[in-house]
Amino acid sequence: MSRRRPSSGRIARAVPCVAASTVAAVMATAVGWLLFGRRQLADVVMIYLLGIIVVSLRFGYVPSIVAAVLSVLLLDFFFVPPYLSFAVSDFQHVVMFAVMFVVAVVISRLARRVRIQAEEAHQANLQMEAERLRNALLSSVSHDLRTPLSVITGAASALLHSSPALAPGARSDLAETIHEEAQRLDRLVRNLLDMTRLASGAVRVAKEWQAIEGVVGAALGRLAEPLRDRNVEVRISPALPLVAIDDLLIEQALINLLENAAKYTPSGTPLELSADADRGALVVAIADRGPGIPQDLVDRIFEKFYRLPREGASGGGGLGLAICRGIVEAHGGRIWAENRDGGGAVFRFALPLGGTPPELVPEGGP
Ligand code: ADP
C-alpha cells in the first residue's frame, strides 16, 4: 500500500508561506545589519520582531513561527559572538533567544485572535444584511399584495352576496376584475421571487433575442394606471438590432424606473423614454422633469435600502434601483443616473449588443 502523501494543494499553499517567512527573516537581517550593526543587539531584535509581526498578520500562525525560528538562527549566526557560527558563548544570549521566541509566539496568537474576530464580525454583518433584506421584502410583499387581494375579495363578495340583484353585465365585469387582479397577483408573486433570487445572487438570466420595442410596450402596458396622467414620449431608434436579454427581467427594470419617475416627480410633468444604439450597446433612457438627485448621491441611490433623506420614512424599501442594477449587471450591462439640463433626472442603462440572432426557420421547413 502506498503511504499518504501531502496533497499538491497543500504544498502549493505552503510554498508562499515558507517563502514569506524566509524573506522576512532575511530582510530583517539586512536591515538590522545596515541600520545598527553588531553593537546595538536590542534594536536588531526589534527589527526581527517587526518582521515576525508582519508575517503573522499577513500569513497566519504557523508561518510566523517559522519566521521566528529562522530569525533566531540568523540573529545567532550574524550578530551574536562567536560570529558566523551557530554556537553561543554567553548564556545571556540563550535567554534573549528564548524571550524573542516567546514574544513572537504571543504576538502571533494575538494576531490570529484579531483575525478570527474580524472574520466573525464580517459574518455577523452578512447575517444582519440578509435579515434586513428579508424584512424589506416581507414589508413590500405585504404592501404590494394587499391591493389586488382586497379588490379580489370585494368583487368576490359582491358576486356572492348580491348575485340575483346584479345585471349580467355587472356580474361579468366583477368576474373580469377578479380575473385581472388574480393575474396581477400572480405576476407580483413571480417578480418578488425574482427579486429574492436576484438579491441572493441565485438568479439565472434566460436570455433570448428580443426587440426592445416589445419589452418597452409590455412595461408601459403594465403601468397604464400610475402613468394615466402622464405624457410619456417614447422614441425608439429605427432599425435597432435584436438584443439578447431576459425580457421579463428587463421589463421589471423598466417598470421600476418608470414607477420611480411617476412616484418622485410632480403629477402631470412629462416623461421621456428612449432607446438608441451607442458604441456596441443598447442604451435605454428614462428622463423626467422632477426634482433630480443631489449630485453627490447619484451612485448611492442604487445601493440596497438607500432612499434620499428627503423621502422620509414612508413608501418603498429602497430596493427598486438595487434590483434594476442587479438585473442590468446580470446582463453584463451598466446602469447610472444623471441630472438633466433644465431640471429633472435621467436614468440610463446600457446592454451589450452583439452576436448574431439565429435565422428564423419557416414553419414546416426542413
Ligand atoms: P424606493 O423607491 O423604494 O425608495 P429606489 O431604490 O427605487 O427605492 O429609489 C431610491 C431613491 O432614489 C428613492 O427613495 C428616491 O429618493 C430616489 N429616486 C429614484 N428615482 C428618482 C427620480 N426619478 N427622481 C428623483 N429621485 C429619485
Side-chain angles (χ1 to χ4, degrees):
M1 262 174 71
S2 69
R3 279 179 46 211
R4 269 190 72 183
R5 295 201 197 127
S7 69
S8 57
R10 269 175 70 182
I11 294 175
R13 276 199 303 277
V15 168
C17 294
V18 172
S21 313
T22 313
V23 168
V26 171
M27 270 178 63
T29 307
V31 173
W33 184 265
L34 290 175
L35 287 184
F36 305 113
R38 282 179 175 147
R39 258 168 306 216
Q40 288 168 261
L41 209 49
D43 295 318
V44 175
V45 169
M46 289 301 158
I47 300 287
Y48 278 110
L49 283 177
L50 193 67
I52 295 165
I53 292 174
V54 171
V55 172
S56 74
L57 284 175
R58 183 72 188 77
F59 294 92
Y61 187 60
V62 176
S64 69
I65 300 301
V66 176
V69 173
L70 284 176
S71 298
V72 168
L73 289 176
L74 288 172
L75 177 70
D76 179 17
F77 195 76
F78 288 105
F79 294 93
V80 172
Y83 299 126
L84 302 182
S85 134
F86 290 112
V88 184
S89 57
D90 191 342
F91 180 70
Q92 214 186 323
H93 289 136
V94 177
V95 175
M96 186 184 78
F97 295 152
V99 170
M100 182 170 147
F101 193 73
V102 169
V103 171
V105 171
V106 170
I107 289 172
S108 305
R109 280 177 178 275
L110 282 177
R112 182 167 65 163
R113 197 174 313 153
V114 167
R115 235 200 352 258
I116 291 173
Q117 277 172 355
E119 272 162 22
E120 282 171 357
H122 182 64
Q123 281 299 329
N125 262 341
L126 285 184
Q127 266 175 13
M128 234 167 68
E129 174 86 338
E131 186 70 19
R132 278 180 57 189
L133 187 63
R134 232 185 339 261
N135 289 343
L137 279 171
L138 269 180
S139 69
S140 96
V141 171
S142 51
H143 177 264
D144 291 348
L145 299 191
R146 211 177 300 133
T147 326
L149 266 180
S150 61
V151 176
I152 291 174
T153 318
S157 84
L159 265 182
L160 272 178
H161 299 302
S162 43
S163 205
L166 278 177
R171 222 176 312 169
S172 74
D173 279 354
L174 284 173
E176 177 121 349
T177 308
I178 293 178
H179 178 69
E180 274 170 14
E181 292 297 312
Q183 274 185 330
R184 196 150 89 97
L185 207 58
D186 176 52
R187 210 167 175 137
L188 268 173
V189 170
R190 250 185 298 148
N191 284 338
L192 280 165
L193 288 176
D194 277 351
M195 287 180 211
T196 339
R197 279 167 47 227
L198 196 70
S200 65
V203 79
R204 266 202 58 244
V205 183
K207 282 193 199 169
E208 277 174 23
W209 291 101
Q210 305 282 352
I212 195 69
E213 293 99 304
V215 187
V216 167
L220 287 171
R222 278 186 54 194
L223 292 174
E225 176 57 23
L227 293 176
R228 69 185 179 285
D229 66 338
R230 301 304 187 116
N231 177 18
V232 186
E233 188 191 321
V234 180
R235 197 178 43 73
I236 293 179
S237 284
L240 278 180
L242 295 183
V243 56
I245 50 173
D246 185 322
D247 57 338
L248 282 180
L249 289 179
I250 295 296
E251 183 185 326
Q252 183 63 52
L254 278 170
I255 286 174
N256 289 2
L257 293 174
L258 285 164
E259 255 175 358
N260 276 355
K263 243 188 331 189
Y264 298 113
T265 65
S267 125
T269 52
L271 303 178
E272 290 158 42
L273 197 165
S274 65
D276 300 281
D278 181 25
R279 276 168 286 170
L282 173 71
V283 180
V284 179
I286 289 153
D288 63 52
R289 287 288 176 202
I293 298 139
Q295 197 52 45
D296 52 332
L297 298 174
V298 286
D299 292 327
R300 279 209 75 184
I301 52 172
F302 290 95
E303 288 174 13
K304 265 183 270 171
F305 310 109
Y306 188 79
R307 315 192 68 223
L308 289 180
R310 68 177 181 229
E311 281 5 305
S314 66
L319 276 176
L321 290 176
I323 287 165
C324 291
R325 185 168 67 177
I327 291 174
V328 170
E329 287 180 355
H331 281 81
R334 170 173 106 78
I335 185 167
W336 69 102
E338 288 165 16
N339 287 305
R340 299 175 78 191
D341 289 341
V346 52
F347 287 81
R348 289 200 175 87
F349 61 84
L351 301 167
L353 283 171
T356 337
E359 297 265 338
L360 283 182
V361 180
E363 254 177 71

